[in-house]
Amino acid sequence: MSFSKELRKESEVIFQGIFEHPFVEGLGKGVVPKEALIHYVKADFEYLNAFMNIYGLAIAKSSTREDMTYFYEKIGFILHSEIHPHNNLCDVAGVAYDDLQGYALPPTADHYVSHMKSAAQQGSMGELLAALLPCPWTYLEIGHYLKDKYKPEPNHPFYDWITFYAKEESASVTTGLREKLDLWAETVGETEKEKARQAFIKSCQLEYAFWEMAYIQEEWPFKIAAEEV
C-alpha cells in the first residue's frame, strides 16, 4: 500500500465526518444559509492566497525544473479556475465576489494557515506536501459524494460548485500531489514519514473544522480593529 493510501485509510473517519457535515450536505440539498456562504468565501479567499504562498515555498524547495513547473502551474489553477466555485456561492448568496475579499481570517482558518506554513517553512518537502494534500483530496471526494448522492441537474443552486470539484481537472491536483508524496516517502525513514503523517492528519482535522467555522460563522472573541485587513 502506498504512503498516501495509508494516510487516506487512517483518516477515513474524518472524511466521513466532512461528507456528513451540515454545510456540505446543504450544498447537496441546495440549501445553505446565506451568512454561512459569505463567511466561507471570505475565509477561503484568504486561505487560497496562503495556499499559493506555500506553492511558492514548494518551488523554493524543488531541485528540478519539472517540480518547479508543476507547483507554478498549480498557482495558476487557483488563480484562474478555483474562482468559479467561489462565484457560484456568491451568486447564490446574492453578493459580489469582490466585496468578500481582503478580510481577516477567522480563528480556525488562521490556525489552518499557520499549520501549513509551519510545515512548509520548517519541515521537509514531504511535510509540505502532506499538509497541502487534504484540501484538494477532501474537495475531490466531496464533489463525487454530492454528485453521486444528489445527482444535481444544471438548475441546482450549487451545480457549478459540485461539478467543478468532481471533474478531472480537480482530480489531477490530488493525483499529482499524491504521486509526489509517495515518491518522497520511498526515499526517507519512518521518522520523516511520521512527521508527514501528523501534518496530513492535522490538515484533515482542520478541513472539517473549516466547514464548521463557516457554518457557525466563527469570529474572534473580541473585535478590536476594523474587520478588513
Side-chain angles (χ1 to χ4, degrees), residues 143-156:
H144 284 287
Y145 170 79
L146 296 178
K147 185 178 179 181
D148 293 343
K149 181 175 181 178
Y150 292 100
K151 298 176 174 54
E153 298 292 335
N155 63 347
H156 187 289

mmCIF file with all atom_site columns, all heavy atoms in Angstrom, residues 143-156:
data_model
loop_
_atom_site.group_PDB
_atom_site.id
_atom_site.type_symbol
_atom_site.label_atom_id
_atom_site.label_alt_id
_atom_site.label_comp_id
_atom_site.label_asym_id
_atom_site.label_entity_id
_atom_site.label_seq_id
_atom_site.pdbx_PDB_ins_code
_atom_site.Cartn_x
_atom_site.Cartn_y
_atom_site.Cartn_z
_atom_site.occupancy
_atom_site.B_iso_or_equiv
_atom_site.pdbx_formal_charge
_atom_site.auth_seq_id
_atom_site.auth_comp_id
_atom_site.auth_asym_id
_atom_site.auth_atom_id
_atom_site.pdbx_PDB_model_num
ATOM 1   N N   . GLY A 1 143 ? -16.962 16.464 -3.967  1.00 0.00 ? 143 GLY A N   1
ATOM 2   C CA  . GLY A 1 143 ? -17.607 16.650 -5.262  1.00 0.00 ? 143 GLY A CA  1
ATOM 3   C C   . GLY A 1 143 ? -18.244 15.369 -5.764  1.00 0.00 ? 143 GLY A C   1
ATOM 4   O O   . GLY A 1 143 ? -19.404 15.360 -6.206  1.00 0.00 ? 143 GLY A O   1
ATOM 5   N N   . HIS A 1 144 ? -17.515 14.247 -5.691  1.00 0.00 ? 144 HIS A N   1
ATOM 6   C CA  . HIS A 1 144 ? -18.055 12.966 -6.151  1.00 0.00 ? 144 HIS A CA  1
ATOM 7   C C   . HIS A 1 144 ? -19.173 12.476 -5.233  1.00 0.00 ? 144 HIS A C   1
ATOM 8   O O   . HIS A 1 144 ? -20.178 11.925 -5.711  1.00 0.00 ? 144 HIS A O   1
ATOM 9   C CB  . HIS A 1 144 ? -16.938 11.930 -6.241  1.00 0.00 ? 144 HIS A CB  1
ATOM 10  C CG  . HIS A 1 144 ? -16.057 12.109 -7.432  1.00 0.00 ? 144 HIS A CG  1
ATOM 11  N ND1 . HIS A 1 144 ? -16.468 11.811 -8.715  1.00 0.00 ? 144 HIS A ND1 1
ATOM 12  C CD2 . HIS A 1 144 ? -14.788 12.580 -7.562  1.00 0.00 ? 144 HIS A CD2 1
ATOM 13  C CE1 . HIS A 1 144 ? -15.515 12.074 -9.578  1.00 0.00 ? 144 HIS A CE1 1
ATOM 14  N NE2 . HIS A 1 144 ? -14.470 12.544 -8.904  1.00 0.00 ? 144 HIS A NE2 1
ATOM 15  N N   . TYR A 1 145 ? -18.992 12.682 -3.926  1.00 0.00 ? 145 TYR A N   1
ATOM 16  C CA  . TYR A 1 145 ? -20.011 12.256 -2.964  1.00 0.00 ? 145 TYR A CA  1
ATOM 17  C C   . TYR A 1 145 ? -21.340 12.964 -3.246  1.00 0.00 ? 145 TYR A C   1
ATOM 18  O O   . TYR A 1 145 ? -22.404 12.323 -3.312  1.00 0.00 ? 145 TYR A O   1
ATOM 19  C CB  . TYR A 1 145 ? -19.529 12.558 -1.552  1.00 0.00 ? 145 TYR A CB  1
ATOM 20  C CG  . TYR A 1 145 ? -20.573 12.395 -0.472  1.00 0.00 ? 145 TYR A CG  1
ATOM 21  C CD1 . TYR A 1 145 ? -20.902 11.138 0.014   1.00 0.00 ? 145 TYR A CD1 1
ATOM 22  C CD2 . TYR A 1 145 ? -21.227 13.502 0.061   1.00 0.00 ? 145 TYR A CD2 1
ATOM 23  C CE1 . TYR A 1 145 ? -21.867 10.982 1.012   1.00 0.00 ? 145 TYR A CE1 1
ATOM 24  C CE2 . TYR A 1 145 ? -22.190 13.367 1.050   1.00 0.00 ? 145 TYR A CE2 1
ATOM 25  C CZ  . TYR A 1 145 ? -22.503 12.106 1.525   1.00 0.00 ? 145 TYR A CZ  1
ATOM 26  O OH  . TYR A 1 145 ? -23.460 11.964 2.504   1.00 0.00 ? 145 TYR A OH  1
ATOM 27  N N   . LEU A 1 146 ? -21.289 14.287 -3.399  1.00 0.00 ? 146 LEU A N   1
ATOM 28  C CA  . LEU A 1 146 ? -22.521 15.045 -3.637  1.00 0.00 ? 146 LEU A CA  1
ATOM 29  C C   . LEU A 1 146 ? -23.112 14.759 -5.015  1.00 0.00 ? 146 LEU A C   1
ATOM 30  O O   . LEU A 1 146 ? -24.332 14.678 -5.175  1.00 0.00 ? 146 LEU A O   1
ATOM 31  C CB  . LEU A 1 146 ? -22.246 16.534 -3.476  1.00 0.00 ? 146 LEU A CB  1
ATOM 32  C CG  . LEU A 1 146 ? -21.829 17.000 -2.074  1.00 0.00 ? 146 LEU A CG  1
ATOM 33  C CD1 . LEU A 1 146 ? -21.550 18.499 -2.070  1.00 0.00 ? 146 LEU A CD1 1
ATOM 34  C CD2 . LEU A 1 146 ? -22.891 16.647 -1.040  1.00 0.00 ? 146 LEU A CD2 1
ATOM 35  N N   . LYS A 1 147 ? -22.248 14.590 -6.002  1.00 0.00 ? 147 LYS A N   1
ATOM 36  C CA  . LYS A 1 147 ? -22.736 14.296 -7.356  1.00 0.00 ? 147 LYS A CA  1
ATOM 37  C C   . LYS A 1 147 ? -23.438 12.942 -7.388  1.00 0.00 ? 147 LYS A C   1
ATOM 38  O O   . LYS A 1 147 ? -24.511 12.804 -7.992  1.00 0.00 ? 147 LYS A O   1
ATOM 39  C CB  . LYS A 1 147 ? -21.563 14.303 -8.337  1.00 0.00 ? 147 LYS A CB  1
ATOM 40  C CG  . LYS A 1 147 ? -21.974 14.130 -9.793  1.00 0.00 ? 147 LYS A CG  1
ATOM 41  C CD  . LYS A 1 147 ? -20.764 14.205 -10.711 1.00 0.00 ? 147 LYS A CD  1
ATOM 42  C CE  . LYS A 1 147 ? -21.166 14.014 -12.166 1.00 0.00 ? 147 LYS A CE  1
ATOM 43  N NZ  . LYS A 1 147 ? -19.982 14.059 -13.071 1.00 0.00 ? 147 LYS A NZ  1
ATOM 44  N N   . ASP A 1 148 ? -22.862 11.942 -6.717  1.00 0.00 ? 148 ASP A N   1
ATOM 45  C CA  . ASP A 1 148 ? -23.453 10.605 -6.720  1.00 0.00 ? 148 ASP A CA  1
ATOM 46  C C   . ASP A 1 148 ? -24.724 10.547 -5.870  1.00 0.00 ? 148 ASP A C   1
ATOM 47  O O   . ASP A 1 148 ? -25.688 9.866  -6.235  1.00 0.00 ? 148 ASP A O   1
ATOM 48  C CB  . ASP A 1 148 ? -22.439 9.584  -6.193  1.00 0.00 ? 148 ASP A CB  1
ATOM 49  C CG  . ASP A 1 148 ? -21.260 9.400  -7.127  1.00 0.00 ? 148 ASP A CG  1
ATOM 50  O OD1 . ASP A 1 148 ? -21.356 9.802  -8.299  1.00 0.00 ? 148 ASP A OD1 1
ATOM 51  O OD2 . ASP A 1 148 ? -20.222 8.863  -6.675  1.00 0.00 ? 148 ASP A OD2 1
ATOM 52  N N   . LYS A 1 149 ? -24.727 11.247 -4.745  1.00 0.00 ? 149 LYS A N   1
ATOM 53  C CA  . LYS A 1 149 ? -25.863 11.166 -3.827  1.00 0.00 ? 149 LYS A CA  1
ATOM 54  C C   . LYS A 1 149 ? -27.046 11.994 -4.298  1.00 0.00 ? 149 LYS A C   1
ATOM 55  O O   . LYS A 1 149 ? -28.202 11.542 -4.236  1.00 0.00 ? 149 LYS A O   1
ATOM 56  C CB  . LYS A 1 149 ? -25.442 11.614 -2.426  1.00 0.00 ? 149 LYS A CB  1
ATOM 57  C CG  . LYS A 1 149 ? -26.570 11.539 -1.396  1.00 0.00 ? 149 LYS A CG  1
ATOM 58  C CD  . LYS A 1 149 ? -26.078 11.885 0.004   1.00 0.00 ? 149 LYS A CD  1
ATOM 59  C CE  . LYS A 1 149 ? -27.222 11.779 1.022   1.00 0.00 ? 149 LYS A CE  1
ATOM 60  N NZ  . LYS A 1 149 ? -26.761 12.064 2.411   1.00 0.00 ? 149 LYS A NZ  1
ATOM 61  N N   . TYR A 1 150 ? -26.784 13.207 -4.768  1.00 0.00 ? 150 TYR A N   1
ATOM 62  C CA  . TYR A 1 150 ? -27.879 14.135 -5.093  1.00 0.00 ? 150 TYR A CA  1
ATOM 63  C C   . TYR A 1 150 ? -28.140 14.270 -6.590  1.00 0.00 ? 150 TYR A C   1
ATOM 64  O O   . TYR A 1 150 ? -29.164 14.828 -6.983  1.00 0.00 ? 150 TYR A O   1
ATOM 65  C CB  . TYR A 1 150 ? -27.597 15.505 -4.473  1.00 0.00 ? 150 TYR A CB  1
ATOM 66  C CG  . TYR A 1 150 ? -27.663 15.466 -2.968  1.00 0.00 ? 150 TYR A CG  1
ATOM 67  C CD1 . TYR A 1 150 ? -26.502 15.396 -2.202  1.00 0.00 ? 150 TYR A CD1 1
ATOM 68  C CD2 . TYR A 1 150 ? -28.883 15.467 -2.298  1.00 0.00 ? 150 TYR A CD2 1
ATOM 69  C CE1 . TYR A 1 150 ? -26.551 15.346 -0.815  1.00 0.00 ? 150 TYR A CE1 1
ATOM 70  C CE2 . TYR A 1 150 ? -28.944 15.426 -0.917  1.00 0.00 ? 150 TYR A CE2 1
ATOM 71  C CZ  . TYR A 1 150 ? -27.775 15.358 -0.182  1.00 0.00 ? 150 TYR A CZ  1
ATOM 72  O OH  . TYR A 1 150 ? -27.839 15.296 1.190   1.00 0.00 ? 150 TYR A OH  1
ATOM 73  N N   . LYS A 1 151 ? -27.191 13.816 -7.418  1.00 0.00 ? 151 LYS A N   1
ATOM 74  C CA  . LYS A 1 151 ? -27.356 13.863 -8.873  1.00 0.00 ? 151 LYS A CA  1
ATOM 75  C C   . LYS A 1 151 ? -27.913 15.217 -9.335  1.00 0.00 ? 151 LYS A C   1
ATOM 76  O O   . LYS A 1 151 ? -28.997 15.293 -9.945  1.00 0.00 ? 151 LYS A O   1
ATOM 77  C CB  . LYS A 1 151 ? -28.267 12.725 -9.334  1.00 0.00 ? 151 LYS A CB  1
ATOM 78  C CG  . LYS A 1 151 ? -27.704 11.349 -9.022  1.00 0.00 ? 151 LYS A CG  1
ATOM 79  C CD  . LYS A 1 151 ? -28.651 10.236 -9.401  1.00 0.00 ? 151 LYS A CD  1
ATOM 80  C CE  . LYS A 1 151 ? -28.019 8.873  -9.208  1.00 0.00 ? 151 LYS A CE  1
ATOM 81  N NZ  . LYS A 1 151 ? -27.475 8.659  -7.845  1.00 0.00 ? 151 LYS A NZ  1
ATOM 82  N N   . PRO A 1 152 ? -27.181 16.286 -9.057  1.00 0.00 ? 152 PRO A N   1
ATOM 83  C CA  . PRO A 1 152 ? -27.695 17.622 -9.372  1.00 0.00 ? 152 PRO A CA  1
ATOM 84  C C   . PRO A 1 152 ? -27.854 17.867 -10.876 1.00 0.00 ? 152 PRO A C   1
ATOM 85  O O   . PRO A 1 152 ? -27.021 17.448 -11.672 1.00 0.00 ? 152 PRO A O   1
ATOM 86  C CB  . PRO A 1 152 ? -26.626 18.555 -8.785  1.00 0.00 ? 152 PRO A CB  1
ATOM 87  C CG  . PRO A 1 152 ? -25.371 17.739 -8.799  1.00 0.00 ? 152 PRO A CG  1
ATOM 88  C CD  . PRO A 1 152 ? -25.817 16.330 -8.496  1.00 0.00 ? 152 PRO A CD  1
ATOM 89  N N   . GLU A 1 153 ? -28.931 18.524 -11.224 1.00 0.00 ? 153 GLU A N   1
ATOM 90  C CA  . GLU A 1 153 ? -29.162 18.975 -12.594 1.00 0.00 ? 153 GLU A CA  1
ATOM 91  C C   . GLU A 1 153 ? -28.617 20.404 -12.732 1.00 0.00 ? 153 GLU A C   1
ATOM 92  O O   . GLU A 1 153 ? -28.343 21.064 -11.729 1.00 0.00 ? 153 GLU A O   1
ATOM 93  C CB  . GLU A 1 153 ? -30.660 18.945 -12.904 1.00 0.00 ? 153 GLU A CB  1
ATOM 94  C CG  . GLU A 1 153 ? -31.289 17.561 -12.833 1.00 0.00 ? 153 GLU A CG  1
ATOM 95  C CD  . GLU A 1 153 ? -30.789 16.639 -13.944 1.00 0.00 ? 153 GLU A CD  1
ATOM 96  O OE1 . GLU A 1 153 ? -30.359 17.163 -14.998 1.00 0.00 ? 153 GLU A OE1 1
ATOM 97  O OE2 . GLU A 1 153 ? -30.828 15.409 -13.748 1.00 0.00 ? 153 GLU A OE2 1
ATOM 98  N N   . PRO A 1 154 ? -28.481 20.889 -13.969 1.00 0.00 ? 154 PRO A N   1
ATOM 99  C CA  . PRO A 1 154 ? -27.932 22.241 -14.163 1.00 0.00 ? 154 PRO A CA  1
ATOM 100 C C   . PRO A 1 154 ? -28.681 23.355 -13.434 1.00 0.00 ? 154 PRO A C   1
ATOM 101 O O   . PRO A 1 154 ? -28.118 24.418 -13.184 1.00 0.00 ? 154 PRO A O   1
ATOM 102 C CB  . PRO A 1 154 ? -28.008 22.423 -15.680 1.00 0.00 ? 154 PRO A CB  1
ATOM 103 C CG  . PRO A 1 154 ? -27.870 21.039 -16.219 1.00 0.00 ? 154 PRO A CG  1
ATOM 104 C CD  . PRO A 1 154 ? -28.631 20.173 -15.247 1.00 0.00 ? 154 PRO A CD  1
ATOM 105 N N   . ASN A 1 155 ? -29.946 23.129 -13.073 1.00 0.00 ? 155 ASN A N   1
ATOM 106 C CA  . ASN A 1 155 ? -30.708 24.163 -12.360 1.00 0.00 ? 155 ASN A CA  1
ATOM 107 C C   . ASN A 1 155 ? -30.512 24.089 -10.841 1.00 0.00 ? 155 ASN A C   1
ATOM 108 O O   . ASN A 1 155 ? -31.104 24.870 -10.095 1.00 0.00 ? 155 ASN A O   1
ATOM 109 C CB  . ASN A 1 155 ? -32.192 24.067 -12.698 1.00 0.00 ? 155 ASN A CB  1
ATOM 110 C CG  . ASN A 1 155 ? -32.813 22.750 -12.266 1.00 0.00 ? 155 ASN A CG  1
ATOM 111 O OD1 . ASN A 1 155 ? -32.113 21.803 -11.918 1.00 0.00 ? 155 ASN A OD1 1
ATOM 112 N ND2 . ASN A 1 155 ? -34.143 22.683 -12.301 1.00 0.00 ? 155 ASN A ND2 1
ATOM 113 N N   . HIS A 1 156 ? -29.710 23.152 -10.376 1.00 0.00 ? 156 HIS A N   1
ATOM 114 C CA  . HIS A 1 156 ? -29.398 23.046 -8.946  1.00 0.00 ? 156 HIS A CA  1
ATOM 115 C C   . HIS A 1 156 ? -28.591 24.286 -8.531  1.00 0.00 ? 156 HIS A C   1
ATOM 116 O O   . HIS A 1 156 ? -27.677 24.689 -9.253  1.00 0.00 ? 156 HIS A O   1
ATOM 117 C CB  . HIS A 1 156 ? -28.580 21.775 -8.690  1.00 0.00 ? 156 HIS A CB  1
ATOM 118 C CG  . HIS A 1 156 ? -28.341 21.451 -7.252  1.00 0.00 ? 156 HIS A CG  1
ATOM 119 N ND1 . HIS A 1 156 ? -27.482 22.195 -6.461  1.00 0.00 ? 156 HIS A ND1 1
ATOM 120 C CD2 . HIS A 1 156 ? -28.828 20.472 -6.453  1.00 0.00 ? 156 HIS A CD2 1
ATOM 121 C CE1 . HIS A 1 156 ? -27.440 21.670 -5.239  1.00 0.00 ? 156 HIS A CE1 1
ATOM 122 N NE2 . HIS A 1 156 ? -28.264 20.629 -5.210  1.00 0.00 ? 156 HIS A NE2 1
#
